[in-house]
Amino acid sequence: MTKNLQRLARRVCSISPLPLFALPLLLALWGGLVYQVGQERAAATRDAVAASQSLARTLADHTSIILRQTDHATQLFKLRHEASGARLSLAQFTRPQGLLDSVLPSKLELPVAVTDATGNIVDSANGHASANLGDQLFFRTLATTPGDIALVDTPVLDAASKKWMIRSARRLNDAQGRFAGAIVILVDPTYFVDDYDRLNLDEHGALLLVARDSGDSVGRIGEQLIISEKLDFRMPGPPTRAPEEAEVTPPLDATPRIYSYRDLGRYPLLAVVGVSRAAALASFEHRRRVYIGVLLAASLLIIAFIALLMRQGRRLRRSIRQAKDAQALLRAAHQGSLDSVMLLKAWRPAPGMAPEDFIFADVNERAADVLGKPRAELLGQRALPLAPVLRDARFFPRFVLVMESGQPLEDEFELALPHGGTRWVRHQIVPISDGVAVTSRDISARKRDELALQDNRSFLQSLIDHLPVLVYVKSARPENFGQMEVWNKAAEDITGYAAANIIGKTDSAAFPSGFGLHDDEDDRAILAERGVIDHQEKPLRLQDGSVRHLRAVSVPVFDERGQVEHILGIAEDISQRRQQELALRQNQAELAAVNDASPLGLVRLDRERRCTYVNRTFEAITGQPRASALGAGWTSALHPDDFALMHAALAQLRRSQTPFQSTLRWLHRDGRLVWVSMKIAPIMVDGGIEGYVGSLDDITFLRESEVALRESEARLRTIADALPAMIAYIDADETYRFLNLAYEREFGLTGLPALGRSVRDNVGAVRYGKVAPYIARVLASETLSFEEEDIKEGLERCMEVLYIPQIGEDHPQVVGFHVMRQDITVQKREKQRLLQLAQVDALTGLSNRAGFVQKLADAMHASRKHGRLMAVMYMDIDRFKPVNDTHGHGTGDALLRAFAQRLTQTMRATDIIARLGGDEFTIIMESISRPEDAAVLAASIVHAMQLPFELDGITVHISASIGVAFYRDEDLSPAALLQQADVLLYQAKQDGRNTYRAAAMVA
């Protein structure tokens, strides 16, 4: 208990409280920001509503002033018209600088009309319509109202365009005070919404005048005029909206706005103004962004500070958990490593004894694959019995040595494989507590490359040493001018001077005066002319005094700066010149033929990565002629997207001197995209890179085949997962290689690594025991189809299973088999139900003729198999037709049902009763001891049927006649047996009915 409390305390202490402190702080800061932003948003919205309310008030005031002036104009016309005895005309009233201009702005030019008492227009101006107004409500109101009042309404003038006007009308009287007509002035409401400067709206602001009585509206947004009868205004009010804010539905356009309105009071109009929400809340949005930016900076600063503190805390805790973390890191590293890693603990027969084996403390998956066993089988087991290869002197003894000495070992060696062949392994053994950690990596590819490179170097050195010509190289650098650097074996043989005495010396120090290869004039000429000097014949005096005549060529070798770096000398014995030239040409031709016949494209680069040679295969793969590939043009056919990869790899190759291998794309001259596996290795001379050799392998077909295969596999997987059937493929080792989604769900394998596991592991030992015989048969090349009965989630199911063997292409044996499982429970039940329905008589519920024939065949088969006696009774109802004719078919059917019920009560429970049709019945009696038992039952039936039948108030008297036939193992068909019973039934009827006749049994 104390240990548990201590462990819990350590865990609690290991959790840093800094995040628990920082999280509430950040939540509080951001919560405060959200609250402040919400408050400021509400305040900004209220200000916007107040602004729109002020604008709506301005619009309402301006509209009211014009309408009052219009009202004054009608009153002025009434006074002057009545005073003049109805002689004042509208032309006089509306003339410039006249009466109308004295009360209204002259620019309006409002339509004006004067009517008589019947509503006919007798005078008009400025385009007023000439229709009769007598039937309109305002005119009748004026006619019936004697007072001096002005009526203002909003009629719709054009239903198509929805154009409406504000109409101001006033009653006109004659000299006796009677109604004499009316003065009518129309005001276009668009005049009030055209004055944007007065209201100082933003470019997206909306200005509307709405008629209260009809809902018609006119407005303007920018230069767009709006006339509508569909707008609706709601005032939601608090708490969701400000009290003066209005909501317009449907929206005028996609621009969100804040609306407010003003009632014109005495006039049936509403002034509505909407300001753009974006413009109204611009200042708030700027402040919100500033707040968020400041708080983000503060949050990042807090997080950074907390992260710094947590980092320091982690450093402190890391020292406490160093051993445990190191072990966890080691386990994670070796599990994810590309190397095979094993952690081995020493195994001793007894404490204090020398280790005799090691136990697998841990292995990664790659090591388990190398050992050829699942990782789970290796953990905790002794190593030598499971991996006998570890007994080798390169393993177990070294493990013990490293563990005891504490000194790691590292080695590279060639390991023979059990199935043949070899593999190069880089092996590293590191001591751990009472054991070792073993890391192995397959370096076969690198080793082969190194050996190939060494072979190439050896080949080149051997080639130089064994050339039948004298080859030497002198330095042309100022610091060691004339110093000999290369002196081949032919030079030793021809001159008699050993390379050990020549290399590193100047020719003046190595050779005596007058020696033919010591020629200062040639060296100076090479430095001055930077050209080749060819001596067709040059005498050479040897140490023994003899003279040989050589053909000597001195060639300047330039460095990357274009300066002469070396002087290459090549000389040959003239006496053997022709033979040597022929051999050299033959060797060159063979080398070119070998290179051109190679299936790989070959390219050689100098130290500056300029191409100096390509073979014909390179030309065929890349589509580049040799002439265009030489120099810097060898990469011109490289895909543009792979240029950076190639140049980066070459730069890395120059730094690391490690061969580069990758898959690149080349653009062939015929337009094809060619996939190439390319490998480039450096040519190392004296520890420096003198050039590069590369090989190209055309893998386009392989690449396309792999892509096509993956696409095909993906399509097949999609199709297989979409099928309702369970599909799997199992190889000859009874290991799953494929299974679809339905199969995974059936056996509960969803999310589990089912592939690569055996049938027993995936389906369990019980189910495997059931299917094992079928697996053995299908692996023996037999196609199987069978049914399985099982129970899942308490329900009985029937599965149809199909096993199809897979025959190998190269070998005629079975390499695996396909599995298809399908739930046919519903189909099977339906089939049984239909079969039962097809074999049941609908009237009596007994078996019908089809059911009887099937059951008779089954009973005769069982009788033959077990040698048991059985009987078949064939009967019909005596005098059934008179009952049917007298009382009707309904009574006849009721009699058949009652007869069947009484017959069932009379017979044994094991007997099978059937109605063949009409009034004919049959009975199958299986497993009777003797014929007399059937005769007794037949007599009982005859007696039972003599009793009267009560059928819905009708009493019916009938009787039954029966024929009884017997069967045990005779060669007799069901139809023949039934025919025997039918013949005996006929005898019973001939003998007066109401009786039975049984066949005689032969002992």
Side-chain angles (χ1 to χ4, degrees):
M1 186 66 179
T2 303
K3 292 182 179 180
N4 293 334
L5 292 176
Q6 292 176 351
R7 189 180 299 111
L8 179 61
R10 286 197 297 269
R11 291 183 179 178
V12 172
C13 293
S14 66
I15 301 175
S16 175
L18 294 175
L20 301 179
F21 167 77
L23 183 60
L25 177 60
L26 292 175
L27 291 176
L29 290 175
W30 283 98
L33 175 64
V34 171
Y35 176 79
Q36 180 65 23
V37 167
Q39 293 297 314
E40 292 198 15
R41 183 192 298 276
T45 303
R46 288 194 298 271
D47 293 341
V49 172
S52 63
Q53 175 69 17
S54 175
L55 295 174
R57 185 180 302 109
T58 301
L59 176 62
D61 294 341
H62 173 62
T63 305
S64 297
I65 290 172
I66 298 299
L67 294 179
R68 281 198 300 271
Q69 291 173 347
T70 304
D71 187 17
H72 294 160
T74 59
Q75 189 174 28
L76 179 59
F77 180 85
K78 171 181 173 66
L79 295 175
R80 294 298 179 90
H81 179 77
E82 292 176 355
S84 64
R87 290 190 296 272
L88 178 63
S89 67
L90 287 180
Q92 296 172 339
F93 184 70
T94 59
R95 71 172 179 264
Q97 307 299 324
L99 294 175
L100 183 62
D101 285 350
S102 66
V103 292
L104 279 175
S106 60
K107 64 179 180 179
L108 287 180
E109 296 184 353
L110 302 179
V112 184
V114 176
T115 70
D116 58 13
T118 62
N120 291 319
I121 295 177
V122 297
D123 195 4
S124 65
N126 298 330
H128 193 286
S130 59
N132 184 276
L133 303 178
D135 58 344
Q136 294 192 20
L137 178 62
F138 86 96
F139 189 86
R140 295 196 301 272
T141 302
L142 290 176
T144 58
T145 304
D148 183 14
I149 61 172
L151 295 181
V152 179
D153 61 352
T154 56
V156 176
L157 302 183
D158 188 351
S161 65
K162 305 297 189 296
K163 183 176 181 181
W164 57 282
M165 302 290 279
I166 302 173
R167 180 169 56 193
S168 179
R170 188 177 293 271
R171 172 187 174 111
L172 300 178
N173 296 328
D174 57 11
Q176 288 76 31
R178 294 190 301 270
F179 177 68
I183 171 72
V184 180
I185 300 179
L186 300 179
V187 183
D188 190 349
T190 58
Y191 167 77
F192 303 107
V193 297
D194 276 337
D195 193 2
Y196 267 61
D197 293 336
R198 182 188 302 274
L199 294 177
N200 193 22
L201 275 177
D202 60 272
E203 61 178 349
H204 297 292
L207 198 67
L208 298 169
L209 271 181
V210 183
R212 281 202 309 265
D213 51 355
S214 63
D216 296 324
S217 59
V218 63
R220 186 175 295 278
I221 299 176
E223 296 299 323
Q224 179 185 1
L225 181 65
I226 298 172
I227 298 176
S228 174
E229 62 179 1
K230 298 180 180 180
L231 295 182
D232 187 18
F233 294 87
R234 297 189 311 108
M235 281 63 78
T240 59
R241 301 292 176 90
E244 299 81 12
E245 187 176 357
E247 182 177 343
V248 176
T249 55
L252 299 178
D253 53 18
T255 301
R257 294 183 181 84
I258 298 175
Y259 291 91
S260 188
Y261 71 96
R262 181 75 172 183
D263 194 343
L264 269 65
R266 59 182 292 183
Y267 303 109
L269 296 171
L270 292 176
V272 180
V273 176
V275 296
S276 169
R277 182 175 292 273
L281 302 183
S283 177
F284 158 74
E285 291 295 333
H286 173 72
R287 293 196 305 275
R288 183 177 67 85
R289 288 192 292 270
V290 171
Y291 291 161
I292 293 177
V294 171
L295 189 53
L296 278 175
S299 300
L300 293 176
L301 183 61
I302 293 173
I303 293 172
F305 180 72
I306 294 299
L308 180 62
L309 294 180
M310 292 179 65
R311 181 180 179 185
Q312 297 299 327
R314 285 196 300 272
R315 288 181 176 177
L316 294 176
R317 292 192 297 272
R318 190 179 298 116
S319 61
I320 300 174
R321 302 192 307 266
Q322 186 173 1
K324 183 183 297 183
D325 291 344
Q327 184 179 6
L329 288 174
L330 177 61
R331 181 178 295 108
H334 83 252
Q335 287 295 342
S337 174
L338 295 176
D339 301 336
S340 60
V341 182
M342 300 184 295
L343 299 182
L344 304 176
K345 290 290 187 178
W347 182 85
R348 299 176 176 86
M353 296 183 65
E356 295 184 2
D357 199 349
F358 286 87
I359 295 176
F360 289 108
D362 199 358
V363 295
N364 66 355
E365 294 295 340
R366 188 173 294 274
D369 293 340
V370 171
L371 295 175
K373 295 184 179 296
R375 179 173 178 271
E377 292 184 10
L378 296 174
L379 295 179
Q381 302 298 317
R382 292 173 55 185
L384 296 183
L386 293 178
V389 69
L390 297 181
R391 300 180 186 274
D392 190 272
R394 289 171 293 189
F395 297 106
F396 182 77
R398 291 190 175 190
F399 296 167
V400 177
L401 176 62
V402 169
M403 184 184 69
E404 293 178 349
S405 65
Q407 298 297 322
L409 286 179
E410 185 173 353
D411 193 11
E412 294 181 0
F413 53 84
E414 192 172 16
L415 180 65
L417 300 177
H419 56 273
T422 60
R423 177 185 295 171
W424 277 92
V425 177
R426 181 177 180 273
H427 203 56
Q428 186 177 24
I429 309 172
V430 180
I432 60 176
S433 177
D434 196 28
V436 292
V438 183
T439 304
S440 300
R441 174 175 290 186
D442 185 353
I443 60 169
S444 300
R446 178 174 65 81
K447 201 67 177 180
R448 285 194 294 269
D449 295 339
E450 292 178 357
L451 294 176
L453 183 59
Q454 292 176 4
D455 291 343
N456 290 337
R457 292 176 180 171
S458 301
F459 170 74
L460 293 175
Q461 186 63 43
S462 176
L463 181 63
I464 294 174
D465 287 341
H466 292 84
L467 283 175
V469 294
L470 183 152
V471 179
Y472 65 92
V473 177
K474 292 191 294 185
S475 173
R477 295 186 290 269
E479 63 271 14
N480 57 352
F481 183 82
Q483 189 177 78
M484 198 67 69
E485 296 181 353
V486 176
W487 188 259
N488 71 343
K489 290 184 178 181
E492 293 180 337
D493 296 338
I494 293 174
T495 65
Y497 290 95
N501 298 326
I502 300 300
I503 300 299
K505 298 180 181 180
T506 62
D507 48 4
S508 60
F511 304 125
S513 179
F515 187 70
L517 295 180
H518 180 199
D519 195 335
D520 291 338
E521 293 182 1
D522 285 353
D523 294 344
R524 286 193 294 271
I526 287 176
L527 292 178
E529 299 176 7
R530 302 166 66 86
V532 177
I533 297 178
D534 186 359
H535 292 282
Q536 295 294 326
E537 186 174 320
K538 190 173 185 178
L540 181 67
R541 188 174 301 277
L542 304 182
Q543 293 179 349
D544 59 0
S546 61
V547 178
R548 288 188 180 181
H549 293 279
L550 306 176
R551 181 186 177 185
V553 179
S554 296
V555 181
V557 180
F558 301 95
D559 60 11
E560 63 273 10
R561 301 185 303 275
Q563 302 298 321
V564 179
E565 185 177 18
H566 297 92
I567 299 174
L568 170 65
I570 302 175
E572 63 176 342
D573 194 337
I574 293 177
S575 60
Q576 299 179 355
R577 179 176 56 189
R578 293 183 178 180
Q579 183 179 359
Q580 291 174 350
E581 289 177 353
L582 179 61
L584 180 60
R585 287 196 299 269
Q586 184 176 356
N587 288 339
Q588 290 175 343
E590 290 176 355
L591 182 59
V594 169
N595 288 340
D596 288 339
S598 172
L600 299 178
L602 301 178
V603 58
R604 187 189 186 282
L605 312 176
D606 60 15
R607 288 188 298 176
E608 299 305 318
R609 302 196 292 274
R610 294 189 296 267
C611 177
T612 60
Y613 169 78
V614 295
N615 67 347
R616 295 188 184 279
T617 309
F618 179 94
E619 297 180 13
I621 291 176
T622 64
Q624 285 184 277
R626 182 174 300 179
S628 65
L630 296 178
W634 70 282
T635 60
S636 61
L638 190 65
H639 194 281
D641 293 343
D642 291 345
F643 266 112
L645 174 62
M646 170 64 79
H647 290 296
L650 290 175
Q652 178 65 23
L653 177 62
R654 186 168 188 174
R655 292 192 297 270
S656 65
Q657 302 179 1
T658 302
F660 155 72
Q661 183 173 6
S662 181
T663 300
L664 302 174
R665 294 166 292 175
W666 295 73
L667 298 175
H668 201 275
R669 295 179 67 185
D670 61 6
R672 291 184 294 113
L673 180 66
V674 182
W675 287 88
V676 174
S677 175
M678 186 170 187
K679 184 173 183 180
I680 302 179
I683 302 174
M684 306 298 298
V685 178
D686 295 334
I689 298 178
E690 292 297 326
Y692 306 89
V693 175
S695 64
L696 287 75
D697 188 7
D698 188 350
I699 60 171
T700 304
F701 179 76
L702 177 62
R703 184 91 176 191
E704 292 174 350
S705 299
E706 291 176 352
V707 171
L709 179 60
R710 286 195 297 268
E711 292 177 352
S712 177
E713 289 177 350
R715 287 193 296 269
L716 291 176
R717 163 61 68 179
T718 302
I719 293 172
D721 286 343
L723 291 175
M726 292 159 272
I727 302 174
Y729 176 75
I730 302 171
D731 63 16
D733 296 328
E734 299 187 18
T735 301
Y736 279 94
R737 297 303 176 192
F738 174 83
L739 61 162
N740 70 343
L741 188 59
Y743 200 98
E744 291 180 356
R745 292 173 176 169
E746 169 68 13
F747 293 102
L749 301 176
T750 303
L752 300 178
L755 296 182
R757 298 180 63 192
S758 67
V759 177
R760 179 189 294 272
D761 293 339
N762 278 341
V763 305
V766 176
R767 183 177 291 274
Y768 177 77
K770 296 180 180 179
V771 300
Y774 298 106
I775 293 177
R777 290 170 60 186
V778 72
L779 291 178
S781 191
E782 181 182 354
T783 300
L784 301 176
S785 178
F786 58 93
E787 294 183 358
E788 286 183 352
E789 302 286 343
D790 67 354
I791 297 177
K792 185 174 183 181
E793 299 179 356
L795 299 177
E796 295 183 357
R797 302 186 309 167
C798 180
M799 309 299 294
E800 183 181 52
V801 185
L802 180 63
Y803 282 0
I804 304 174
Q806 176 72 39
I807 307 299
E809 295 183 359
D810 300 331
H811 304 285
Q813 65 265 23
V814 176
V815 297
F817 62 97
H818 301 273
V819 180
M820 293 187 65
R821 302 179 79 254
Q822 191 168 4
D823 189 344
I824 60 170
T825 305
V826 175
Q827 296 92 319
K828 186 132 186 177
R829 290 176 179 172
E830 182 64 16
K831 182 178 179 180
Q832 293 174 351
R833 186 183 69 83
L834 293 175
L835 181 61
Q836 291 176 356
L837 291 176
Q839 296 181 353
V840 173
D841 178 55
L843 180 62
T844 62
L846 303 176
S847 295
N848 61 9
R849 181 179 292 274
F852 169 75
V853 170
Q854 179 63 43
K855 292 173 183 177
L856 178 58
D858 295 341
M860 292 175 69
H861 175 74
S863 176
R864 283 194 304 272
K865 182 177 180 180
H866 300 291
R868 296 175 181 172
L869 180 65
M870 63 169 287
V872 175
M873 295 184 182
Y874 200 137
M875 72 182 70
D876 68 359
I877 303 175
D878 299 331
R879 296 181 298 277
F880 174 74
K881 188 174 183 305
V883 175
N884 208 23
D885 294 342
T886 304
H887 301 288
H889 292 289
T891 303
D893 291 344
L895 176 59
L896 290 174
R897 286 192 295 270
F899 184 88
Q901 183 178 3
R902 188 175 295 179
L903 186 60
T904 302
Q905 294 171 353
T906 306
M907 300 305 296
R908 302 177 304 176
T910 57
D911 296 335
I912 300 172
I913 306 173
R915 176 181 174 230
L916 299 187
D919 60 343
E920 295 180 346
F921 292 82
T922 56
I923 300 174
I924 302 173
M925 301 175 62
E926 295 185 89
S927 300
I928 58 176
S929 301
R930 52 184 183 170
E932 289 79 3
D933 295 340
V936 171
L937 281 174
S940 299
I941 294 172
V942 171
H943 177 70
M945 298 308 169
Q946 294 173 352
L947 300 176
F949 288 87
E950 298 293 335
L951 307 173
D952 296 332
I954 299 174
T955 302
V956 176
H957 295 273
I958 61 168
S959 61
S961 299
I962 304 174
V964 184
F966 299 97
Y967 177 80
R968 177 174 287 141
D969 55 3
E970 296 88 353
D971 184 11
L972 196 65
S973 67
L977 180 60
L978 186 63
Q979 180 64 31
Q980 289 182 6
D982 189 17
V983 171
L984 294 171
L985 170 62
Y986 181 75
Q987 292 179 4
K989 285 186 171 291
Q990 291 294 324
D991 293 340
R993 295 185 175 87
N994 195 22
T995 186
Y996 70 92
R997 291 294 179 262
M1001 287 295 297
V1002 180

